[in-house]
Amino acid sequence: MNSVVSAPASVATPQAEEVVRLTDVKRRFGATPALDGVSLTVRKGEILGIIGRSGAGKSTLIRCLNGLEQADSGEIHIEGRNITGLTEKDLQPLRRRIGMIFQHFNLLSAKTVEENVALPLKIEGLGKAERLKRAAELLDLVGLSDKAKAYPSSLSGGQKQRVGIARALAARPALLLSDEATSALDPETTRSILALLKGINQKLGLTILLITHEMEVVRSVADRVAVIDAGRIVEEGQVWSVFADPQAPITQRLLSGIRPQLPEHISARLSPVSGDEQILSIDMAGPAAQGALFADLSQALPQSFRLVHGGIDHIQDQPVARFFIAVPARDASLPEKVQTFLKARGARVEVLGYDANHA
Ligand SMILES: Nc1ncnc2c1ncn2[C@@H]1O[C@H](COP(=O)(O)OP(=O)(O)OP(=O)(O)O)[C@@H](O)[C@H]1O
Ligand SMILES: [Mg+2]
């Protein structure tokens, strides 16, 4: 059925060791099950995006991971170590393995940029010279060497988040957690921060767990995505394949803003049973989406369709195509032939209705 996502992808590292493993984790607040049996793994070196609407349980998941919140049941392993039930004291060394960046940066305003970055190292007991040397390296990594002596109040949002990233990396964590780290930034600054995170992921092999309600964030940097809804993981997979063929209704809703949709003025007038033209959606992804589908369709069945809307996106270097076409329907055999042709080429085809009024 899902021929649209049957192709293998290049980013998979199934053999890589797990940095995080959650097994059936539950956390309830009164009558609200914030996490309702979450099982999830994050592999070394990957960027996993977690998406979900407000209240889905994303921040609770992150707080359970860094030990700020205790799970009611289930197990959480970080680098192979079970952290469930650990005392505050035993959690300390594990917390140092996790760096964290926040929506509102959480910098100390009375400290300079380099002091903010060096702070986690002070807590670790490093001497001042060493701390400043490491802070300088990190500021170089995030492109802010010239701001070492500046105070946070003099920085832009994007610069503040770069300081946040440098600080999160100070203690050389195994995992970087990001809770809506770009939500307070404009689109261009968001892109530069995402490029920085992707660069660090590739350069240092850093494992990143990104929590976001912005689909574009996941689309542009994540390797895999998990969709959380009402405290449950409802869908999970490689980003290009989930974005090409979202299965869960909530995933379809979350992605509706960045996947082509039939224009409202057309969908509003469709009839479910009859009309001059049959309107079809066509989804293809991966190797199946390469090639001259519409040119071939024109040649095989001349005058068999009109292109209505759609386009080709590229996610993780894989083409992800979604088009809407109108097929003359006065003779019922033509829509059938068109559908048969498209399906034979690996497309997922759906009849959305009939349009009597396209002029
Ligand atoms: N400390 C708490 N006390 C009571 N209820 C809580 C607490 N923390 C979270 N919840 C509830 O648990 C559910 C999940 O909350 P959570 O903050 O994890 O959602 P979220 O996915 O991060 O949402 P958002 O996108 O708005 O940040 C919500 O219904 C929330 O009201
Ligand atoms: Mg949240």
Side-chain angles (χ1 to χ4, degrees):
M1 192 187 88
N2 290 326
S3 57
V4 72
V5 295
S6 60
S10 54
V11 292
T13 54
Q15 71 284 15
E17 67 186 83
E18 293 167 1
V19 176
V20 177
R21 168 177 283 271
L22 278 79
T23 314
D24 201 21
V25 172
K26 296 188 178 164
R27 176 68 166 115
R28 168 178 285 281
F29 297 104
T32 311
L35 298 178
D36 193 18
V38 170
S39 297
L40 196 68
T41 59
V42 190
R43 301 185 199 115
K44 192 173 167 62
E46 81 172 342
I47 302 183
L48 176 70
I50 297 189
I51 59 177
R53 54 188 164 180
S54 186
K58 303 183 295 296
S59 296
T60 306
L61 178 66
I62 279 214
R63 286 202 302 274
C64 285
L65 271 182
N66 62 18
L68 290 176
E69 194 95 72
Q70 286 278 359
D72 297 329
S73 64
E75 287 189 357
I76 300 174
H77 287 83
I78 309 272
E79 293 188 296
R81 182 126 189 251
N82 189 356
I83 68 161
T84 26
L86 286 188
T87 62
E88 204 43 37
K89 184 166 161 280
D90 289 336
L91 273 172
Q92 286 309 325
L94 274 161
R95 278 210 190 106
R96 265 183 245 131
R97 302 295 295 150
I98 301 177
M100 177 112 194
I101 52 176
F102 308 88
Q103 182 172 3
H104 298 295
F105 323 122
N106 297 17
L107 302 179
L108 297 179
S109 57
K111 296 204 177 292
T112 63
V113 162
E114 67 180 1
E115 286 167 347
N116 267 281
V117 174
L119 196 64
L121 302 173
K122 193 169 185 180
I123 295 164
E124 288 213 345
L126 250 67
K128 188 168 182 190
E130 255 180 296
R131 293 200 305 265
L132 291 180
K133 181 167 171 280
R134 176 87 182 125
E137 284 167 15
L138 287 158
L139 288 173
D140 184 44
L141 180 72
V142 301
L144 276 186
S145 295
D146 56 331
K147 299 288 185 192
K149 307 286 181 205
Y151 284 88
S153 60
S154 70
L155 303 182
S156 69
Q159 289 170 333
K160 284 179 193 162
Q161 195 56 288
R162 283 171 190 270
V163 178
I165 292 169
R167 181 187 55 188
L169 299 179
R172 302 181 202 277
L175 173 70
L176 179 67
L177 297 179
S178 164
D179 193 356
E180 302 285 4
T182 56
S183 299
L185 304 174
D186 63 66
E188 195 185 331
T189 310
T190 293
R191 277 194 291 277
S192 83
I193 292 295
L194 293 176
L196 175 65
L197 288 176
K198 187 83 189 175
I200 291 169
N201 162 256
Q202 284 170 344
K203 199 161 153 187
L204 309 180
L206 183 70
T207 309
I208 303 179
L209 181 62
L210 274 179
I211 290 218
T212 183
H213 68 274
E214 296 172 301
M215 302 304 116
E216 188 52 41
V217 168
V218 167
R219 195 198 83 87
S220 61
V221 293
D223 299 309
R224 283 195 306 130
V225 60
V227 184
I228 186 169
D229 194 41
R232 294 177 156 272
I233 303 294
V234 295
E235 187 156 7
E236 195 183 342
Q238 291 190 327
V239 174
W240 72 271
S241 78
V242 171
F243 277 41
D245 190 16
Q247 300 289 312
I250 182 65
T251 317
Q252 291 168 358
R253 236 177 301 149
L254 288 169
L255 292 177
S256 64
I258 65 164
R259 303 174 78 220
Q261 306 294 320
L262 190 64
E264 177 62 30
H265 72 279
I266 300 176
S267 62
R269 69 181 186 223
L270 289 188
S271 152
V273 285
S274 65
D276 300 337
E277 292 180 316
Q278 189 182 63
I279 307 295
L280 302 175
S281 69
I282 302 167
D283 283 281
M284 297 184 92
Q290 275 147 349
L293 180 70
F294 291 118
D296 293 350
L297 177 58
S298 288
Q299 200 160 37
L301 297 166
Q303 321 242 308
S304 64
F305 72 99
R306 185 169 65 81
L307 209 47
V308 175
H309 187 67
I312 303 180
D313 193 4
H314 286 83
I315 305 177
Q316 296 178 294
D317 299 333
Q318 297 282 350
V320 174
R322 182 163 167 81
F323 285 96
F324 299 88
I325 63 170
V327 179
R330 262 154 267 155
D331 171 2
S333 73
L334 186 58
E336 246 167 66
K337 283 184 200 150
V338 168
Q339 287 178 42
T340 305
F341 180 94
L342 293 169
K343 286 176 186 165
R345 295 288 291 262
R348 190 158 41 90
V349 181
E350 213 178 304
V351 179
L352 303 179
Y354 293 84
D355 187 2
N357 180 28
H358 76 75

